[in-house]
Amino acid sequence: MSEGLEAEVKTNPQGDPITSAPAAPSTTSTNGGRKDPHGDAKRQVEVSPDYMFFEAPREREFITGSECAKEAVRRSNVDLSVAYPITPQSETLQLIGVLYGEGYVKEFYRGEEEYGVMSAIAGASRAGVRCFTATAGPGTLRGLEPIVSWSGHRLPAVCMFTCRVVNAPLAIQPDNVEIAYLLQSGMIVFHAENQQDLFDFIMKAFVISEKNDVTLPVGVCCDGFFVTHARGYCSMPDKGFKLPGRDPYRGSVPVLDAQLDCLVMLQFKNLILWPTTFTRCGSRKYGLALNGQGNILRNIWMDC
Amino acid sequence: MELTKELEEAIVAPGPQGFHPPSAAELGVLTPDEGYGLKFGHVVEEERAMEAMAHTMFTRKNATIFPGPMVLWAWNDHAADKAKAVLELAAQIPDVLIIPMPDYRPKYPKVEPEEVINPNHPNLTIWGNKIEVCIFIGVHCHYANLTLKMIRAGTNCWTSAICAEQGHEDAMFTVRDSDATKIRRVAAIFKRVREEMGIKLPENGSNVRFTGLQSRVHDGKTNTNPLDFTIETPGDGNAAAFGHKAEHMQKEA
């Protein structure tokens, strides 16, 4: 990423402003007179979901569905987004890439193909971070196996589906066939009928999917082109606000490797079974259960 | 406190209920609202649920506390404080066993029932130690649900769940939103019920009974005092070192 060299105003290939949302107040730093490209993102303030959805003043904009998705992700404190282009979704993830450049999304890359993207989302969500991706039509079916694994693993990931014809005849027009598959995948499925729905549903999807008593992926579907590429009115809270980050401790399943990170202390070790020996391997300690003669009963953590 | 009448009207009744009984949710039992608990599937004030937990832990055989990862690991200061509270609760129960559920990986080729309980086959630890009453605490919700259903299906063990979230409808008794303060409140109620029942603790405070394996590890000691052990606070390499704070473990406002 080109640190500090971002242009003042980004444009998409059509030459339009990336979003018609009003620019934030000037946030120039003293860094040689250059604007900190992450400055606005750093100044975002976390607010409660209740405030974000029901109390924060909103301004109405006339923007495309893809831009609505971008603005939703901007306010959703997303940690990771993985992209793979497919019409009509490509523009959405392209705009998320712009958010990455601006520091609103912490990590972003293009996957190998949809199977790899959805697998990466599975791993990242399991690791405890907030994830967002999007796909469409054939991409949905190509990534379906790992998508189905999300719900089985109780992963709170959010995926946007800009629905289109899958194939035969090959076309890129809107179609809802892929939703039939998603409805059988164990995930929660929303269908956004317009740009406003898309903005609201994406943000609420993060909150709902991460609720302890939900802990499931959410798919936010919409018609490709009719919603993604058409402009509509969308009321949005100020982009200086963002949702609280994901709290990985609150899921109904533990996040991956959390125990390894916390392995230094086993609080009951003296009381129960691990009384005597802790060995250090690299930066981590491993507990060994010893019997009275000092023989290892079980090497408890080496297989972590 | 006599539970006979409640048992007759129980929706979530103690097992063994046979292979694959309907879940509590299928029986119409929902998790309780804030301030309430569940007793045999019925919503009650949470203090009544705590009293029922205490009564059964004092009267049925081989009472056991199963601490899960959220109180076994020093994720942060709050987790360490909760672990202390669990030990204080254990200190109120005569001859109690403590068998940890340190993680959720299936244990193959064999579970050592005197060492751990595992959510994928909890019945083996229940059977192996002839446990007729237990409390789960600090287990992630998904795995607690799994475990509680299996225990109700295949064993005669009465289950209680002290839950940090919404409670567990598949336990015979449950309370929700259990931070360290509420666990200490449970301990206080256990103390009151124990004194009302005239049950005394050993004078040396060694009321926690080791399993056979635990005893061998501890040079043949049979009992120990849970309050003798200091809980180490989070240090280098744990979640606190990565900026996670106690509030992350607490109930959202």
Side-chain angles (χ1 to χ4, degrees), chain A residues 154 211-213 247 249-250 252 258-259 261 263 265 267 269-273 275 298 301, chain B residues 72-75 83 102 115 141-142 165-166 210 214 217-218 224 232 237-239 248 252:
Chain A
R154 304 291 300 270
K211 281 281 178 194
N212 172 274
D213 46 350
D247 180 357
Y249 294 112
R250 290 186 51 79
S252 74
Q259 291 178 350
D261 285 341
L263 197 56
M265 237 66 69
Q267 302 184 10
K269 70 176 188 288
N270 291 318
L271 176 61
I272 305 300
L273 191 59
R298 182 162 301 186
W301 296 112
Chain B
L72 283 172
W73 301 96
W75 307 81
E115 176 191 355
C141 305
H142 179 68
E165 302 288 342
Q166 302 91 352
F210 283 138
Q214 291 169 354
V217 169
H218 287 271
T224 191
E232 296 178 63
N238 65 16
H248 290 141
E252 65 185 12

mmCIF file of all heavy atoms in Angstrom, chain A residues 154 211-213 247 249-250 252 258-259 261 263 265 267 269-273 275 298 301, chain B residues 72-75 83 102 115 141-142 165-166 210 214 217-218 224 232 237-239 248 252:
data_model
loop_
_atom_site.group_PDB
_atom_site.id
_atom_site.type_symbol
_atom_site.label_atom_id
_atom_site.label_comp_id
_atom_site.label_asym_id
_atom_site.label_seq_id
_atom_site.Cartn_x
_atom_site.Cartn_y
_atom_site.Cartn_z
ATOM 1 N N ARG A 154 -20.160 -22.894 13.375
ATOM 2 C CA ARG A 154 -20.708 -21.755 14.133
ATOM 3 C C ARG A 154 -19.806 -20.531 13.988
ATOM 4 O O ARG A 154 -19.345 -19.943 14.966
ATOM 5 C CB ARG A 154 -20.891 -22.120 15.613
ATOM 6 C CG ARG A 154 -21.751 -23.344 15.872
ATOM 7 C CD ARG A 154 -23.207 -23.134 15.551
ATOM 8 N NE ARG A 154 -23.810 -22.071 16.333
ATOM 9 C CZ ARG A 154 -24.393 -22.253 17.522
ATOM 10 N NH1 ARG A 154 -24.420 -23.452 18.059
ATOM 11 N NH2 ARG A 154 -24.962 -21.250 18.161
ATOM 12 N N LYS A 211 -23.937 -12.388 17.979
ATOM 13 C CA LYS A 211 -24.644 -12.583 19.243
ATOM 14 C C LYS A 211 -24.336 -13.974 19.768
ATOM 15 O O LYS A 211 -24.364 -14.950 19.017
ATOM 16 C CB LYS A 211 -26.155 -12.440 19.032
ATOM 17 C CG LYS A 211 -26.639 -11.011 18.951
ATOM 18 C CD LYS A 211 -26.740 -10.410 20.330
ATOM 19 C CE LYS A 211 -27.171 -8.971 20.265
ATOM 20 N NZ LYS A 211 -26.962 -8.282 21.539
ATOM 21 N N ASN A 212 -24.117 -14.045 21.060
ATOM 22 C CA ASN A 212 -23.726 -15.331 21.635
ATOM 23 C C ASN A 212 -24.728 -16.426 21.323
ATOM 24 O O ASN A 212 -24.361 -17.562 21.020
ATOM 25 C CB ASN A 212 -23.549 -15.168 23.135
ATOM 26 C CG ASN A 212 -23.333 -16.483 23.823
ATOM 27 O OD1 ASN A 212 -24.278 -17.163 24.172
ATOM 28 N ND2 ASN A 212 -22.081 -16.862 23.974
ATOM 29 N N ASP A 213 -26.015 -16.100 21.401
ATOM 30 C CA ASP A 213 -27.018 -17.151 21.189
ATOM 31 C C ASP A 213 -27.333 -17.333 19.707
ATOM 32 O O ASP A 213 -28.261 -18.066 19.372
ATOM 33 C CB ASP A 213 -28.285 -16.894 21.996
ATOM 34 C CG ASP A 213 -28.758 -15.465 21.883
ATOM 35 O OD1 ASP A 213 -28.017 -14.648 21.342
ATOM 36 O OD2 ASP A 213 -29.879 -15.178 22.345
ATOM 37 N N ASP A 247 -16.004 -9.280 19.714
ATOM 38 C CA ASP A 247 -15.427 -9.766 20.965
ATOM 39 C C ASP A 247 -15.352 -11.286 20.893
ATOM 40 O O ASP A 247 -16.348 -11.970 21.108
ATOM 41 C CB ASP A 247 -16.287 -9.331 22.149
ATOM 42 C CG ASP A 247 -15.708 -9.821 23.460
ATOM 43 O OD1 ASP A 247 -14.686 -10.538 23.415
ATOM 44 O OD2 ASP A 247 -16.278 -9.501 24.518
ATOM 45 N N TYR A 249 -14.319 -13.503 22.739
ATOM 46 C CA TYR A 249 -14.583 -14.289 23.945
ATOM 47 C C TYR A 249 -16.063 -14.611 24.116
ATOM 48 O O TYR A 249 -16.442 -15.437 24.915
ATOM 49 C CB TYR A 249 -14.116 -13.535 25.191
ATOM 50 C CG TYR A 249 -12.620 -13.366 25.250
ATOM 51 C CD1 TYR A 249 -12.048 -12.124 25.127
ATOM 52 C CD2 TYR A 249 -11.800 -14.470 25.428
ATOM 53 C CE1 TYR A 249 -10.676 -11.974 25.182
ATOM 54 C CE2 TYR A 249 -10.444 -14.327 25.481
ATOM 55 C CZ TYR A 249 -9.887 -13.081 25.362
ATOM 56 O OH TYR A 249 -8.533 -12.933 25.404
ATOM 57 N N ARG A 250 -16.912 -13.886 23.381
ATOM 58 C CA ARG A 250 -18.339 -14.011 23.663
ATOM 59 C C ARG A 250 -19.057 -14.996 22.757
ATOM 60 O O ARG A 250 -20.264 -15.140 22.835
ATOM 61 C CB ARG A 250 -19.003 -12.642 23.574
ATOM 62 C CG ARG A 250 -18.602 -11.723 24.713
ATOM 63 C CD ARG A 250 -19.393 -10.445 24.641
ATOM 64 N NE ARG A 250 -20.803 -10.730 24.519
ATOM 65 C CZ ARG A 250 -21.596 -11.076 25.509
ATOM 66 N NH1 ARG A 250 -21.105 -11.199 26.699
ATOM 67 N NH2 ARG A 250 -22.866 -11.304 25.300
ATOM 68 N N SER A 252 -20.267 -18.670 21.162
ATOM 69 C CA SER A 252 -20.666 -19.905 21.851
ATOM 70 C C SER A 252 -19.652 -21.013 21.613
ATOM 71 O O SER A 252 -19.761 -22.084 22.177
ATOM 72 C CB SER A 252 -22.048 -20.344 21.394
ATOM 73 O OG SER A 252 -21.994 -20.891 20.110
ATOM 74 N N ALA A 258 -6.910 -19.745 20.846
ATOM 75 C CA ALA A 258 -6.968 -18.836 21.984
ATOM 76 C C ALA A 258 -6.300 -19.473 23.198
ATOM 77 O O ALA A 258 -5.646 -18.804 23.982
ATOM 78 C CB ALA A 258 -8.410 -18.478 22.301
ATOM 79 N N GLN A 259 -6.506 -20.773 23.335
ATOM 80 C CA GLN A 259 -5.913 -21.418 24.498
ATOM 81 C C GLN A 259 -4.394 -21.387 24.418
ATOM 82 O O GLN A 259 -3.720 -21.253 25.419
ATOM 83 C CB GLN A 259 -6.419 -22.849 24.606
ATOM 84 C CG GLN A 259 -7.888 -22.896 24.962
ATOM 85 C CD GLN A 259 -8.419 -24.295 25.024
ATOM 86 O OE1 GLN A 259 -7.755 -25.224 24.628
ATOM 87 N NE2 GLN A 259 -9.617 -24.439 25.530
ATOM 88 N N ASP A 261 -2.614 -19.071 23.106
ATOM 89 C CA ASP A 261 -2.194 -17.734 23.489
ATOM 90 C C ASP A 261 -2.249 -17.538 24.994
ATOM 91 O O ASP A 261 -1.568 -16.701 25.542
ATOM 92 C CB ASP A 261 -3.079 -16.684 22.814
ATOM 93 C CG ASP A 261 -2.730 -16.555 21.348
ATOM 94 O OD1 ASP A 261 -1.637 -16.984 20.985
ATOM 95 O OD2 ASP A 261 -3.553 -16.039 20.590
ATOM 96 N N LEU A 263 -1.800 -19.922 27.257
ATOM 97 C CA LEU A 263 -1.387 -21.173 27.875
ATOM 98 C C LEU A 263 -0.443 -21.011 29.053
ATOM 99 O O LEU A 263 -0.162 -21.964 29.754
ATOM 100 C CB LEU A 263 -0.718 -22.045 26.805
ATOM 101 C CG LEU A 263 -0.577 -23.522 27.136
ATOM 102 C CD1 LEU A 263 -1.927 -24.099 27.467
ATOM 103 C CD2 LEU A 263 0.039 -24.247 25.982
ATOM 104 N N MET A 265 -0.775 -19.846 31.912
ATOM 105 C CA MET A 265 -1.319 -20.140 33.230
ATOM 106 C C MET A 265 -2.467 -21.129 33.158
ATOM 107 O O MET A 265 -3.413 -20.917 32.426
ATOM 108 C CB MET A 265 -1.853 -18.863 33.856
ATOM 109 C CG MET A 265 -1.242 -18.520 35.175
ATOM 110 S SD MET A 265 0.478 -18.131 35.004
ATOM 111 C CE MET A 265 0.355 -16.598 34.140
ATOM 112 N N GLN A 267 -5.033 -22.217 35.709
ATOM 113 C CA GLN A 267 -5.262 -21.696 37.044
ATOM 114 C C GLN A 267 -5.436 -22.778 38.097
ATOM 115 O O GLN A 267 -5.146 -22.584 39.258
ATOM 116 C CB GLN A 267 -6.474 -20.794 37.009
ATOM 117 C CG GLN A 267 -6.256 -19.679 36.020
ATOM 118 C CD GLN A 267 -7.383 -18.710 36.009
ATOM 119 O OE1 GLN A 267 -8.236 -18.763 36.867
ATOM 120 N NE2 GLN A 267 -7.378 -17.822 35.053
ATOM 121 N N LYS A 269 -3.905 -25.568 38.077
ATOM 122 C CA LYS A 269 -2.883 -26.582 37.881
ATOM 123 C C LYS A 269 -2.392 -27.169 39.200
ATOM 124 O O LYS A 269 -2.117 -28.345 39.287
ATOM 125 C CB LYS A 269 -1.727 -26.029 37.063
ATOM 126 C CG LYS A 269 -0.864 -24.991 37.756
ATOM 127 C CD LYS A 269 0.295 -24.602 36.860
ATOM 128 C CE LYS A 269 1.295 -23.722 37.573
ATOM 129 N NZ LYS A 269 0.764 -22.382 37.790
ATOM 130 N N ASN A 270 -2.304 -26.354 40.193
ATOM 131 C CA ASN A 270 -1.853 -26.884 41.475
ATOM 132 C C ASN A 270 -2.910 -27.766 42.108
ATOM 133 O O ASN A 270 -2.621 -28.724 42.791
ATOM 134 C CB ASN A 270 -1.517 -25.747 42.432
ATOM 135 C CG ASN A 270 -0.282 -25.012 41.976
ATOM 136 O OD1 ASN A 270 0.677 -25.641 41.562
ATOM 137 N ND2 ASN A 270 -0.316 -23.697 42.031
ATOM 138 N N LEU A 271 -4.146 -27.385 41.858
ATOM 139 C CA LEU A 271 -5.224 -28.076 42.546
ATOM 140 C C LEU A 271 -5.514 -29.432 41.940
ATOM 141 O O LEU A 271 -5.781 -30.392 42.640
ATOM 142 C CB LEU A 271 -6.488 -27.207 42.484
ATOM 143 C CG LEU A 271 -7.745 -27.809 43.065
ATOM 144 C CD1 LEU A 271 -7.556 -28.097 44.532
ATOM 145 C CD2 LEU A 271 -8.909 -26.867 42.850
ATOM 146 N N ILE A 272 -5.489 -29.518 40.637
ATOM 147 C CA ILE A 272 -6.050 -30.692 40.007
ATOM 148 C C ILE A 272 -5.001 -31.674 39.518
ATOM 149 O O ILE A 272 -4.860 -32.768 40.038
ATOM 150 C CB ILE A 272 -6.956 -30.292 38.820
ATOM 151 C CG1 ILE A 272 -8.024 -29.320 39.307
ATOM 152 C CG2 ILE A 272 -7.610 -31.512 38.217
ATOM 153 C CD1 ILE A 272 -8.908 -29.888 40.378
ATOM 154 N N LEU A 273 -4.264 -31.305 38.518
ATOM 155 C CA LEU A 273 -3.494 -32.354 37.901
ATOM 156 C C LEU A 273 -2.124 -31.936 37.412
ATOM 157 O O LEU A 273 -1.270 -32.754 37.157
ATOM 158 C CB LEU A 273 -4.306 -32.912 36.713
ATOM 159 C CG LEU A 273 -3.800 -34.198 36.084
ATOM 160 C CD1 LEU A 273 -3.756 -35.298 37.121
ATOM 161 C CD2 LEU A 273 -4.676 -34.589 34.924
ATOM 162 N N PRO A 275 0.628 -30.271 38.654
ATOM 163 C CA PRO A 275 1.152 -29.602 39.835
ATOM 164 C C PRO A 275 2.612 -29.200 39.751
ATOM 165 O O PRO A 275 3.047 -28.298 40.443
ATOM 166 C CB PRO A 275 0.991 -30.670 40.918
ATOM 167 C CG PRO A 275 1.142 -31.952 40.174
ATOM 168 C CD PRO A 275 0.653 -31.719 38.771
ATOM 169 N N ARG A 298 0.992 -37.972 31.037
ATOM 170 C CA ARG A 298 0.440 -37.537 29.761
ATOM 171 C C ARG A 298 1.059 -36.195 29.393
ATOM 172 O O ARG A 298 1.126 -35.294 30.223
ATOM 173 C CB ARG A 298 -1.071 -37.388 29.872
ATOM 174 C CG ARG A 298 -1.718 -36.982 28.564
ATOM 175 C CD ARG A 298 -3.171 -37.263 28.586
ATOM 176 N NE ARG A 298 -3.401 -38.689 28.811
ATOM 177 C CZ ARG A 298 -4.599 -39.235 28.757
ATOM 178 N NH1 ARG A 298 -5.634 -38.515 28.493
ATOM 179 N NH2 ARG A 298 -4.760 -40.520 28.994
ATOM 180 N N TRP A 301 -0.181 -30.976 26.369
ATOM 181 C CA TRP A 301 -0.407 -29.928 25.386
ATOM 182 C C TRP A 301 0.436 -30.050 24.125
ATOM 183 O O TRP A 301 0.316 -29.248 23.235
ATOM 184 C CB TRP A 301 -0.161 -28.562 26.028
ATOM 185 C CG TRP A 301 -1.131 -28.323 27.106
ATOM 186 C CD1 TRP A 301 -0.882 -28.242 28.432
ATOM 187 C CD2 TRP A 301 -2.539 -28.200 26.958
ATOM 188 N NE1 TRP A 301 -2.040 -28.080 29.120
ATOM 189 C CE2 TRP A 301 -3.079 -28.044 28.253
ATOM 190 C CE3 TRP A 301 -3.413 -28.217 25.865
ATOM 191 C CZ2 TRP A 301 -4.432 -27.891 28.470
ATOM 192 C CZ3 TRP A 301 -4.758 -28.071 26.095
ATOM 193 C CH2 TRP A 301 -5.255 -27.911 27.375
ATOM 194 N N LEU B 72 -10.696 -21.935 33.499
ATOM 195 C CA LEU B 72 -9.444 -22.670 33.708
ATOM 196 C C LEU B 72 -8.236 -21.910 33.183
ATOM 197 O O LEU B 72 -7.111 -22.157 33.600
ATOM 198 C CB LEU B 72 -9.507 -24.024 32.997
ATOM 199 C CG LEU B 72 -10.323 -25.102 33.693
ATOM 200 C CD1 LEU B 72 -10.458 -26.310 32.804
ATOM 201 C CD2 LEU B 72 -9.687 -25.499 35.011
ATOM 202 N N TRP B 73 -8.477 -21.015 32.231
ATOM 203 C CA TRP B 73 -7.369 -20.322 31.599
ATOM 204 C C TRP B 73 -7.393 -18.853 31.977
ATOM 205 O O TRP B 73 -8.441 -18.242 32.028
ATOM 206 C CB TRP B 73 -7.467 -20.461 30.081
ATOM 207 C CG TRP B 73 -7.461 -21.880 29.646
ATOM 208 C CD1 TRP B 73 -8.544 -22.650 29.375
ATOM 209 C CD2 TRP B 73 -6.326 -22.720 29.490
ATOM 210 N NE1 TRP B 73 -8.150 -23.916 29.047
ATOM 211 C CE2 TRP B 73 -6.791 -23.985 29.107
ATOM 212 C CE3 TRP B 73 -4.953 -22.510 29.630
ATOM 213 C CZ2 TRP B 73 -5.938 -25.046 28.872
ATOM 214 C CZ3 TRP B 73 -4.107 -23.573 29.393
ATOM 215 C CH2 TRP B 73 -4.604 -24.822 29.009
ATOM 216 N N ALA B 74 -6.211 -18.302 32.178
ATOM 217 C CA ALA B 74 -6.115 -16.898 32.572
ATOM 218 C C ALA B 74 -6.222 -16.008 31.339
ATOM 219 O O ALA B 74 -5.281 -15.344 30.943
ATOM 220 C CB ALA B 74 -4.808 -16.649 33.306
ATOM 221 N N TRP B 75 -7.411 -16.029 30.732
ATOM 222 C CA TRP B 75 -7.612 -15.199 29.543
ATOM 223 C C TRP B 75 -7.362 -13.735 29.890
ATOM 224 O O TRP B 75 -6.828 -12.976 29.100
ATOM 225 C CB TRP B 75 -9.055 -15.303 29.051
ATOM 226 C CG TRP B 75 -9.601 -16.650 28.815
ATOM 227 C CD1 TRP B 75 -10.106 -17.513 29.750
ATOM 228 C CD2 TRP B 75 -9.748 -17.322 27.561
ATOM 229 N NE1 TRP B 75 -10.544 -18.654 29.139
ATOM 230 C CE2 TRP B 75 -10.350 -18.555 27.803
ATOM 231 C CE3 TRP B 75 -9.441 -16.958 26.247
ATOM 232 C CZ2 TRP B 75 -10.640 -19.453 26.784
ATOM 233 C CZ3 TRP B 75 -9.734 -17.860 25.243
ATOM 234 C CH2 TRP B 75 -10.322 -19.093 25.518
ATOM 235 N N ALA B 83 -12.268 -17.597 38.400
ATOM 236 C CA ALA B 83 -11.689 -18.850 38.885
ATOM 237 C C ALA B 83 -11.617 -18.851 40.409
ATOM 238 O O ALA B 83 -11.912 -19.857 41.060
ATOM 239 C CB ALA B 83 -10.303 -19.045 38.286
ATOM 240 N N PRO B 102 -10.719 -28.948 30.111
ATOM 241 C CA PRO B 102 -9.764 -27.914 29.682
ATOM 242 C C PRO B 102 -9.893 -27.529 28.225
ATOM 243 O O PRO B 102 -9.476 -26.454 27.831
ATOM 244 C CB PRO B 102 -8.404 -28.557 29.964
ATOM 245 C CG PRO B 102 -8.661 -30.021 29.949
ATOM 246 C CD PRO B 102 -10.060 -30.220 30.431
ATOM 247 N N GLU B 115 -9.342 -37.823 34.986
ATOM 248 C CA GLU B 115 -8.512 -36.677 34.630
ATOM 249 C C GLU B 115 -9.353 -35.537 34.056
ATOM 250 O O GLU B 115 -9.198 -34.373 34.444
ATOM 251 C CB GLU B 115 -7.459 -37.101 33.597
ATOM 252 C CG GLU B 115 -6.596 -35.965 33.088
ATOM 253 C CD GLU B 115 -5.757 -36.381 31.884
ATOM 254 O OE1 GLU B 115 -5.775 -37.566 31.520
ATOM 255 O OE2 GLU B 115 -5.098 -35.512 31.316
ATOM 256 N N CYS B 141 -20.928 -22.041 25.361
ATOM 257 C CA CYS B 141 -22.344 -22.424 25.258
ATOM 258 C C CYS B 141 -22.577 -23.631 24.359
ATOM 259 O O CYS B 141 -23.317 -24.549 24.703
ATOM 260 C CB CYS B 141 -23.145 -21.257 24.715
ATOM 261 S SG CYS B 141 -22.931 -19.765 25.665
ATOM 262 N N HIS B 142 -21.981 -23.621 23.184
ATOM 263 C CA HIS B 142 -22.223 -24.686 22.212
ATOM 264 C C HIS B 142 -21.889 -26.046 22.806
ATOM 265 O O HIS B 142 -22.637 -27.016 22.647
ATOM 266 C CB HIS B 142 -21.366 -24.395 20.976
ATOM 267 C CG HIS B 142 -21.491 -25.413 19.900
ATOM 268 N ND1 HIS B 142 -22.640 -25.578 19.180
ATOM 269 C CD2 HIS B 142 -20.597 -26.318 19.414
ATOM 270 C CE1 HIS B 142 -22.450 -26.550 18.277
ATOM 271 N NE2 HIS B 142 -21.221 -27.000 18.406
ATOM 272 N N GLU B 165 -23.794 -16.397 30.070
ATOM 273 C CA GLU B 165 -24.617 -15.805 29.018
ATOM 274 C C GLU B 165 -26.099 -15.971 29.336
ATOM 275 O O GLU B 165 -26.543 -15.458 30.332
ATOM 276 C CB GLU B 165 -24.254 -16.428 27.662
ATOM 277 C CG GLU B 165 -22.779 -16.268 27.298
ATOM 278 C CD GLU B 165 -22.408 -14.841 26.924
ATOM 279 O OE1 GLU B 165 -23.303 -14.046 26.620
ATOM 280 O OE2 GLU B 165 -21.208 -14.522 26.947
ATOM 281 N N GLN B 166 -26.812 -16.750 28.520
ATOM 282 C CA GLN B 166 -28.274 -16.790 28.664
ATOM 283 C C GLN B 166 -28.783 -17.930 29.528
ATOM 284 O O GLN B 166 -29.983 -18.085 29.692
ATOM 285 C CB GLN B 166 -28.932 -16.933 27.286
ATOM 286 C CG GLN B 166 -28.584 -15.854 26.319
ATOM 287 C CD GLN B 166 -27.362 -16.203 25.495
ATOM 288 O OE1 GLN B 166 -26.691 -17.198 25.744
ATOM 289 N NE2 GLN B 166 -27.060 -15.382 24.529
ATOM 290 N N PHE B 210 -9.890 -35.645 45.903
ATOM 291 C CA PHE B 210 -9.204 -35.977 44.661
ATOM 292 C C PHE B 210 -9.788 -37.235 44.050
ATOM 293 O O PHE B 210 -10.190 -38.160 44.764
ATOM 294 C CB PHE B 210 -7.708 -36.231 44.927
ATOM 295 C CG PHE B 210 -6.904 -34.979 45.137
ATOM 296 C CD1 PHE B 210 -5.940 -34.918 46.132
ATOM 297 C CD2 PHE B 210 -7.076 -33.871 44.321
ATOM 298 C CE1 PHE B 210 -5.179 -33.781 46.318
ATOM 299 C CE2 PHE B 210 -6.323 -32.727 44.498
ATOM 300 C CZ PHE B 210 -5.375 -32.686 45.505
ATOM 301 N N GLN B 214 -5.852 -37.978 40.387
ATOM 302 C CA GLN B 214 -5.404 -36.732 41.021
ATOM 303 C C GLN B 214 -4.646 -37.047 42.303
ATOM 304 O O GLN B 214 -3.640 -36.415 42.629
ATOM 305 C CB GLN B 214 -6.602 -35.829 41.314
ATOM 306 C CG GLN B 214 -7.253 -35.257 40.057
ATOM 307 C CD GLN B 214 -8.584 -34.589 40.346
ATOM 308 O OE1 GLN B 214 -9.090 -34.639 41.466
ATOM 309 N NE2 GLN B 214 -9.164 -33.976 39.329
ATOM 310 N N VAL B 217 -1.165 -38.193 41.510
ATOM 311 C CA VAL B 217 -0.319 -37.070 41.121
ATOM 312 C C VAL B 217 0.108 -36.268 42.346
ATOM 313 O O VAL B 217 1.209 -35.718 42.403
ATOM 314 C CB VAL B 217 -1.071 -36.174 40.119
ATOM 315 C CG1 VAL B 217 -0.335 -34.866 39.895
ATOM 316 C CG2 VAL B 217 -1.258 -36.901 38.800
ATOM 317 N N HIS B 218 -0.769 -36.227 43.348
ATOM 318 C CA HIS B 218 -0.478 -35.437 44.544
ATOM 319 C C HIS B 218 0.053 -36.315 45.680
ATOM 320 O O HIS B 218 -0.282 -36.101 46.848
ATOM 321 C CB HIS B 218 -1.738 -34.685 44.986
ATOM 322 C CG HIS B 218 -2.072 -33.530 44.082
ATOM 323 N ND1 HIS B 218 -1.584 -32.279 44.265
ATOM 324 C CD2 HIS B 218 -2.826 -33.465 42.959
ATOM 325 C CE1 HIS B 218 -2.031 -31.464 43.320
ATOM 326 N NE2 HIS B 218 -2.783 -32.171 42.505
ATOM 327 N N THR B 224 -8.021 -31.878 49.519
ATOM 328 C CA THR B 224 -7.255 -30.636 49.526
ATOM 329 C C THR B 224 -8.179 -29.464 49.835
ATOM 330 O O THR B 224 -9.413 -29.570 49.728
ATOM 331 C CB THR B 224 -6.535 -30.418 48.184
ATOM 332 O OG1 THR B 224 -5.610 -29.350 48.317
ATOM 333 C CG2 THR B 224 -7.533 -30.060 47.083
ATOM 334 N N GLU B 232 -2.948 -17.481 39.761
ATOM 335 C CA GLU B 232 -1.960 -16.587 39.170
ATOM 336 C C GLU B 232 -2.653 -15.620 38.228
ATOM 337 O O GLU B 232 -3.523 -15.995 37.461
ATOM 338 C CB GLU B 232 -0.905 -17.398 38.425
ATOM 339 C CG GLU B 232 -0.106 -18.283 39.371
ATOM 340 C CD GLU B 232 0.895 -19.125 38.627
ATOM 341 O OE1 GLU B 232 1.795 -18.544 38.009
ATOM 342 O OE2 GLU B 232 0.760 -20.345 38.655
ATOM 343 N N GLY B 237 2.292 -13.119 27.536
ATOM 344 C CA GLY B 237 1.896 -14.171 26.616
ATOM 345 C C GLY B 237 0.435 -14.517 26.660
ATOM 346 O O GLY B 237 -0.043 -15.325 25.892
ATOM 347 N N ASN B 238 -0.329 -13.941 27.562
ATOM 348 C CA ASN B 238 -1.747 -14.285 27.592
ATOM 349 C C ASN B 238 -2.560 -13.179 26.937
ATOM 350 O O ASN B 238 -2.033 -12.248 26.346
ATOM 351 C CB ASN B 238 -2.212 -14.569 29.010
ATOM 352 C CG ASN B 238 -2.138 -13.335 29.870
ATOM 353 O OD1 ASN B 238 -2.036 -12.234 29.342
ATOM 354 N ND2 ASN B 238 -2.195 -13.518 31.157
ATOM 355 N N ALA B 239 -3.870 -13.309 27.045
ATOM 356 C CA ALA B 239 -4.738 -12.383 26.308
ATOM 357 C C ALA B 239 -4.525 -10.934 26.740
ATOM 358 O O ALA B 239 -4.605 -10.023 25.924
ATOM 359 C CB ALA B 239 -6.188 -12.783 26.511
ATOM 360 N N HIS B 248 -13.954 -7.447 28.379
ATOM 361 C CA HIS B 248 -14.252 -8.291 27.229
ATOM 362 C C HIS B 248 -14.930 -9.583 27.641
ATOM 363 O O HIS B 248 -15.569 -10.233 26.821
ATOM 364 C CB HIS B 248 -12.970 -8.615 26.468
ATOM 365 C CG HIS B 248 -12.407 -7.414 25.766
ATOM 366 N ND1 HIS B 248 -11.064 -7.159 25.692
ATOM 367 C CD2 HIS B 248 -13.005 -6.388 25.143
ATOM 368 C CE1 HIS B 248 -10.856 -6.032 25.028
ATOM 369 N NE2 HIS B 248 -12.019 -5.543 24.697
ATOM 370 N N GLU B 252 -22.411 -7.841 28.116
ATOM 371 C CA GLU B 252 -22.596 -6.529 27.524
ATOM 372 C C GLU B 252 -23.730 -5.804 28.240
ATOM 373 O O GLU B 252 -24.642 -6.420 28.776
ATOM 374 C CB GLU B 252 -22.891 -6.651 26.037
ATOM 375 C CG GLU B 252 -24.184 -7.335 25.717
ATOM 376 C CD GLU B 252 -24.345 -7.533 24.212
ATOM 377 O OE1 GLU B 252 -23.366 -7.339 23.479
ATOM 378 O OE2 GLU B 252 -25.441 -7.889 23.816
#
